[in-house]
Amino acid sequence: MSITLNNIGKRFGNFAALDNINLEIPEGELVALLGPSGCGKTTLLRIIAGLEQADRGQVLLNGSDVTDQPVKNRQIGFVFQHYALFRHMTVFDNIAFGLRVKPRKERPSETKIQEKVHALLNLVQLDWLADRFPDQLSGGQRQRIALARALAVEPSVLLLDEPFGALDASVRKDLRLWLRHLHHELNVTSIFVTHDQEEAMEVASQIVVLNHGKIEQKGSPSEIYDSPNNDFVSRFIGHTNVFQLEKDDSSWLAGAGIIIDDPKGIVAHVRPHNIQVEKPQDPANSPVYLKDWQHLGAIIRLELSKDGTNGKATTIFAEMPNEQFRELALQKGDRLSLHIKHAHWFN
Amino acid sequence: MPQSHIMPGFRPTLGFTLFYLALIVLIPLSALVFKSMQLSLDQYGDILTNARVQASFRVSFVSALIAAGIAALFGFIIAWTLVRYPFPGKRLFDALIDLPFALPTAVAGIVLAAIYEPNGWIGRIVMDTLGVQIAYKPLGIVFALIFIGLPFVVRTVEPVLQEFDTAMEEAAASLGANRLQTFIRIILPNILPATLTGFALAFARGVGEYGSVIFIAGNMPYVSEIVPLLIITKLEQYDYAGATAIGLTMLVISFLLLLLVNALQWWVRRRSGQL
């Protein structure tokens, strides 16, 4: 089901949680609402679900206005941040709940419910937990049961609030991939909220970046990463080095490959992997030296220090593949020369 | 006793607990048992089968049960209101709940009797409209015991309601449940054990309550005479053995009833996965 948001606005007292949000989500997408905490992403998700009312604007599901419909009539599945499993019910009863509360005419027979619940438990690969209570499950298991429970009512939209927020890192990695696969399998329009840009990049087909209640940018992960709309998006997605033409040593920047004769802005954002690190021909004259490095697996992140004209040192991050780092055989304190291959300019 | 405990002090604390329990609870209660042993089984049976004694047991336990039941219902509603809704004067109202704990029960009894007697403020209205007399009837005992029992229920249910994860209600609604279904299937099962505890406390307090009841009950033998009053009456007639016999019986019945409530609680918790 497609989702359309028209001019959504929401205030909490004097604080504008959401300001004029317009968004179109086509059927079958897996969308991430990404932003720092307090940016209004969870509020937006809850407004789409009908758990909260917007002050202004409309929510359209499949073209029909559901703004005034309560959550139970919207045919949505909602997965809560802390799962909100019914702790007095077994896993089986949790998943069956949505089927059992249907009006008598629509309610499936008990054998149908049994079949359906076991099918869902198999889908989330936890059939052996049917008789357990939520308190006896691990975080990752609870998460998957919450998802199975939401799917039981065959929602046309699936909404997930920080679905991996409360899980430890390794479980989170597995579940991200699993959610992506599940989405391929079911193809139900899904929106999830996250503050983790890596998670959004890894799972979503579309990312909506929010800040201060406004949409900063919307697009595929590569669009967002490769051509950020503005300063905020560029800083928020991935690592970036920020050079300010006025403050930074502009002759050094020019030497490092940035064209400053006709700059397209006053601030240059450079991704660490867009900085090429070389051994300089004249080490004594290079203002940059290697302070430290971090081993991130396939790549090495170099922490470089550049002496400023005013005596203040700035830190620059650069990244290179493991092999290249080994070939260069760098030591801490080595002088280096940098070549900037690509920069984003903002005002 | 394994030595692996982080906090020392198992021996002194257990010792203190047992000593305290013995000094304050077990020794006085066993004195009760010993005293009643002066009676033969026949005498004991005679006392208990006495019609007036039996009537007072009926009055005491039935009115305590009814009052605890009503207090459980009202207490639940009050706790719900206090936890869920903001309203002006909420803190004051919250403080008022505890008043029956602190008020001398005799004061409560006199005030209740004055208000609910056939010529009292409320008693007159009820008398005129419904033709029902509250004070000086068994109904008056129930009223007094509700007053006494209410804070027990409110104070046991309140913290559990506060802790209740409201996301569970939202989850139920998102799965298509209406408000009644959400209340019955989600909220109630989570609050029931605490409500049962409150009920048991209110009941236990109600059975033993003396001060407030005697002023409002009318104390008619066979009709509105409670067991504690009968015990006092026996004592005043220097019938110590008779008094202890009744006291012991009351103790046993109360203990069994509380055991039953505990078992019920255990069963509810187990069924709802809280054990």
Side-chain angles (χ1 to χ4, degrees):
Chain A
M1 202 189 284
S2 70
I3 302 168
T4 311
L5 303 177
N6 288 333
N7 294 322
I8 294 288
K10 173 88 182 169
R11 304 185 74 84
F12 294 112
N14 280 328
F15 172 70
L18 293 171
D19 187 15
N20 219 11
I21 298 281
N22 287 289
L23 189 61
E24 183 86 36
I25 295 169
E27 170 144 21
E29 293 280 354
L30 176 53
V31 178
L33 292 180
L34 175 65
S37 48
C39 73
K41 52 195 191 305
T42 295
T43 308
L44 188 60
L45 193 77
R46 289 172 63 85
I47 286 173
I48 297 171
L51 292 170
E52 216 142 319
Q53 286 292 313
D55 300 336
R56 275 179 291 115
Q58 292 169 301
V59 180
L60 280 73
L61 297 180
N62 243 3
S64 64
D65 189 346
V66 296
T67 315
D68 298 323
Q69 294 285 332
V71 54
K72 75 185 195 79
N73 298 341
R74 289 198 190 185
Q75 276 206 301
I76 53 105
F78 200 100
V79 178
F80 292 82
Q81 188 177 1
H82 299 289
Y83 325 124
L85 291 175
F86 306 135
R87 51 186 298 246
H88 60 290
M89 292 185 189
T90 60
V91 163
F92 183 97
D93 291 333
N94 261 281
I95 299 175
F97 183 84
L99 302 169
R100 287 183 175 151
V101 295
K102 279 181 192 287
R104 199 174 294 275
K105 270 180 270 170
E106 299 164 34
R107 195 185 309 157
S109 66
E110 197 55 33
T111 42
K112 279 264 166 58
I113 292 178
Q114 292 256 352
E115 274 171 34
K116 178 130 197 192
V117 172
H118 283 295
L120 281 162
L121 277 167
N122 282 322
L123 181 74
V124 298
Q125 299 151 4
L126 292 174
D127 199 34
W128 48 288
L129 290 177
D131 296 325
R132 301 278 186 89
F133 285 97
D135 285 351
Q136 300 163 327
L137 308 182
S138 73
Q141 289 168 343
R142 283 183 212 176
Q143 176 65 68
R144 284 189 277 168
I145 297 301
L147 196 58
R149 183 179 68 176
L151 290 172
V153 289
E154 294 176 12
S156 35
V157 176
L158 190 59
L159 306 172
L160 306 103
D161 186 6
E162 300 261 6
F164 314 113
L167 302 172
D168 57 59
S170 67
V171 179
R172 203 182 305 176
K173 274 225 150 62
D174 290 346
L175 272 182
R176 280 179 195 170
L177 200 67
W178 178 80
L179 180 66
R180 214 186 146 97
H181 289 161
L182 190 75
H183 181 257
H184 274 297
E185 211 169 302
L186 303 171
N187 207 34
V188 52
T189 314
S190 308
I191 305 179
F192 72 98
V193 156
T194 180
H195 60 261
D196 181 346
Q197 43 95 12
E198 218 173 283
E199 187 171 289
M201 303 283 285
E202 202 175 316
V203 180
S205 62
Q206 291 281 312
I207 297 179
V208 178
V209 182
L210 284 165
N211 190 32
H212 293 312
K214 287 195 179 114
I215 294 179
E216 298 280 356
Q217 189 170 1
K218 180 191 172 230
S220 69
S222 36
E223 276 166 14
I224 302 259
Y225 189 83
D226 292 334
S227 36
N229 260 352
N230 55 37
D231 179 274
F232 172 80
V233 176
S234 170
R235 282 171 196 259
F236 196 71
I237 308 287
H239 280 271
T240 193
N241 294 295
V242 179
F243 298 107
Q244 280 167 332
L245 267 191
E246 288 140 19
K247 288 188 197 157
D248 282 280
D249 193 346
S250 50
S251 69
W252 176 80
L253 279 177
I258 290 190
I259 304 151
I260 55 166
D261 294 339
D262 181 22
K264 283 171 267 174
I266 51 165
V267 182
H269 285 202
V270 181
R271 301 273 189 217
H273 58 83
N274 281 329
I275 298 179
Q276 201 178 316
V277 177
E278 285 152 354
K279 288 203 163 168
Q281 284 142 352
D282 180 12
N285 270 344
S286 175
V288 177
Y289 70 92
L290 180 63
K291 200 165 146 196
D292 203 356
W293 71 80
Q294 291 126 33
H295 201 299
L296 303 180
I299 56 163
I300 303 287
R301 181 184 294 150
L302 306 178
E303 196 179 333
L304 308 165
S305 187
K306 179 175 85 69
D307 308 328
T309 40
N310 55 359
K312 263 176 81 181
T314 44
T315 303
I316 300 172
F317 288 99
E319 283 170 7
M320 65 170 67
N322 222 332
E323 297 83 6
Q324 197 189 336
F325 183 72
R326 240 175 290 150
E327 278 166 29
L328 284 171
L330 296 173
Q331 302 289 324
K332 278 186 196 174
D334 280 1
R335 292 277 157 183
L336 297 165
S337 80
L338 304 183
H339 179 68
I340 294 170
K341 292 183 285 188
H342 182 76
H344 291 112
W345 287 94
F346 302 106
N347 282 314
Chain B
M1 177 58 206
Q3 292 297 309
S4 59
H5 279 253
I6 297 169
M7 292 292 288
F10 173 74
R11 278 159 206 266
T13 47
L14 182 73
F16 177 79
T17 307
L18 290 180
F19 175 72
Y20 169 84
L21 203 67
L23 197 69
I24 308 287
V25 182
L26 289 179
I27 293 173
L29 289 188
S30 44
L32 190 65
V33 177
F34 282 125
K35 187 79 189 168
S36 62
M37 275 174 157
Q38 292 174 347
L39 296 167
S40 69
L41 264 183
D42 281 346
Q43 285 171 308
Y44 192 87
D46 283 344
I47 294 172
L48 290 187
T49 48
N50 178 293
R52 186 170 162 191
V53 173
Q54 288 199 334
S56 73
F57 270 103
R58 207 163 34 242
V59 169
S60 266
F61 282 99
V62 170
S63 50
L65 269 178
I66 294 172
I70 295 172
L73 181 68
F74 287 3
F76 182 90
I77 295 170
I78 291 170
W80 178 271
T81 313
L82 284 174
V83 171
R84 287 300 175 96
Y85 311 111
F87 58 87
K90 178 167 162 170
R91 296 176 73 99
L92 184 74
F93 190 75
D94 197 38
L96 282 177
I97 298 287
D98 288 332
L99 220 52
F101 280 146
L103 202 67
T105 49
V107 175
I110 292 165
V111 172
L112 285 172
I115 288 176
Y116 287 111
E117 70 170 0
N119 293 320
W121 290 351
I122 301 176
R124 187 169 21 183
I125 302 170
V126 177
M127 193 73 191
D128 290 347
T129 51
L130 301 172
V132 177
Q133 186 185 338
I134 298 172
Y136 315 131
K137 294 273 179 189
L139 193 58
I141 303 176
V142 175
F143 269 61
L145 293 186
I146 292 171
F147 175 83
I148 296 296
L150 200 63
F152 289 94
V153 181
V154 176
R155 291 295 177 238
T156 44
V157 173
E158 211 178 4
V160 179
L161 261 180
Q162 250 152 7
E163 243 175 68
F164 182 77
D165 181 11
T166 47
M168 276 202 257
E169 287 167 56
E170 293 182 334
S174 79
L175 292 167
N178 61 36
R179 302 189 62 132
L180 185 68
Q181 284 170 322
T182 305
F183 183 78
I184 291 175
R185 287 168 177 256
I186 306 299
I187 298 170
L188 209 55
N190 280 289
I191 308 299
L192 202 57
T195 314
L196 274 177
T197 306
F199 171 84
L201 288 172
F203 170 73
R205 183 75 173 80
V207 167
E209 176 60 19
Y210 174 74
S212 62
V213 173
I214 52 162
F215 288 100
I216 198 174
N219 305 327
M220 294 254 299
Y222 301 99
V223 179
S224 59
E225 187 179 45
I226 55 168
V227 180
L229 179 65
L230 200 63
I231 294 173
I232 298 282
T233 314
K234 295 245 180 230
L235 288 176
E236 280 168 351
Q237 293 160 355
Y238 304 104
D239 181 6
Y240 296 131
T244 45
I246 297 173
L248 184 68
T249 311
M250 198 166 172
L251 192 72
V252 171
I253 297 175
S254 297
F255 187 69
L256 289 177
L257 282 172
L258 288 178
L259 216 58
L260 189 74
V261 174
N262 270 313
L264 191 65
Q265 245 174 329
W266 178 81
W267 179 75
V268 168
R269 286 225 165 90
R270 186 170 180 83
R271 254 195 49 148
S272 59
Q274 291 168 49
L275 270 188

